[in-house]
Amino acid sequence: MNPSRPARLARAKFALPSFVTLLSIACGFGSIVISVDNAQVGAPGDFRLAAILLVLAGVFDALDGFVARATNTQSDFGVQLDSIADVMNFGCAPGLLLYCYGFAQMSAAHPTIVRMGGLACFIFVACGALRLARFNISVGRTDPRYFVGMPITAGAACVASVVVAWPDPVVNNTQAFAVMALMVAVGTLMVSTVRFPSSKQRLSKGIIGVILVAVLLLVILQTRFFVLFFLLYICATLLLNIAWRSGWRGVAPPVVYADEEEV
């Protein structure tokens, strides 16, 4: 017996958010393919394209949740699919991109540095997976205005912004160690307990002013704006957390729930 037209439409509506998530996965997979194909070639344009695909994956990642809420089709299946997609798109894909970008061109002359670079990229991937696992079990148990640790999407965008700004592959030891430090530092921030502001903050005049300044800087700096943005984002967040620990309350600190220590 054929299902009725309303039943088919209902199934299609529930499939829409998952389809958007699959588009995000397609972007992440495309980034991986381009990174691998370009590892020994080292074409700057291809590395930049791989990084841009990660940004596009982030756009679809945000869009699938919006679509699910707009169509009232949230489901446990969608939550699990989104979490799996995040591990690949914002953990494995940027880790592999930075490995190919930072170390593939140095393999013959500096095998030890290449292995160290691979370890640093794995640390990033592992920290991203741990960050997602902690997030999945802490929903509803932490202040929604703040993330505990840097979100994995922001971590992926942070490392990808370096490739967008300077797409020429790494060719010397100084640059290689800088990439290692970047991957370990961002990975550490993801599993830290530092509170990062979320998009659920109330829109104030100060935030609107910051957005306008950011748009102006984007026009001026273009691709290098994103490196500056994440540098300021991390530094401002760390200073805010230090200020809270010192007793400053100019910005409302996160509410700590009774069972939060169990997370």
Side-chain angles (χ1 to χ4, degrees), residues 7-168:
R8 291 197 300 270
L9 290 176
R11 285 204 296 267
K13 185 174 73 169
F14 270 90
L16 185 58
S18 296
F19 176 72
V20 177
T21 304
L22 290 176
L23 290 177
S24 175
I25 294 174
C27 292
F29 182 72
S31 177
I32 289 173
V33 171
I34 292 172
S35 298
V36 172
D37 288 346
N38 195 43
Q40 298 304 320
V41 179
D46 286 349
F47 280 134
R48 178 174 278 169
L49 176 59
I52 291 173
L53 282 174
L54 293 182
V55 176
L56 188 58
V59 173
F60 284 122
D61 179 68
L63 189 60
D64 64 1
F66 172 79
V67 171
R69 290 188 296 272
T71 57
N72 195 27
T73 54
Q74 300 98 322
S75 66
D76 291 338
F77 175 83
V79 171
Q80 297 304 319
L81 180 62
D82 184 69
S83 186
I84 292 170
D86 286 350
V87 173
M88 188 188 85
N89 294 339
F90 311 121
C92 295
L96 184 60
L97 168 61
L98 269 292
Y99 175 77
C100 295
Y101 165 82
F103 310 102
Q105 300 293 307
M106 305 178 66
S107 57
H110 304 281
T112 302
I113 290 180
V114 172
R115 294 187 182 94
M116 292 172 62
L119 178 61
C121 292
F122 169 73
I123 290 173
F124 174 89
V125 175
C127 290
L130 292 170
R131 169 67 178 78
L132 280 171
R134 184 175 66 185
F135 174 79
N136 289 343
I137 66 171
S138 65
V139 173
R141 301 169 67 184
T142 57
D143 191 333
R145 297 174 301 165
Y146 297 95
F147 294 112
V148 181
M150 177 182 275
I152 189 173
T153 49
C158 181
V159 299
S161 68
V162 173
V163 182
V164 172
W166 298 287
D168 293 301

Side-chain angles (χ1 to χ4, degrees), residues 182-242:
L182 172 70
M183 300 304 282
V184 173
V186 175
T188 301
L189 286 172
M190 287 194 290
V191 296
S192 72
T193 56
V194 174
R195 301 304 180 104
F196 283 77
S198 75
S199 58
K200 295 181 181 179
Q201 296 283 341
R202 189 170 60 181
L203 197 63
S204 64
K205 292 182 179 179
I207 294 177
I208 294 174
V210 169
I211 293 174
L212 293 176
V213 171
V215 172
L216 177 62
L217 289 174
L218 175 60
V219 173
I220 297 172
L221 299 176
Q222 299 180 9
T223 57
R224 298 193 178 183
F225 160 78
F226 300 102
V227 174
L228 176 63
F229 170 82
F230 282 107
L231 182 61
L232 293 177
Y233 170 62
I234 292 171
C235 290
T237 298
L238 293 176
L239 288 174
L240 181 60
N241 279 261
I242 293 171

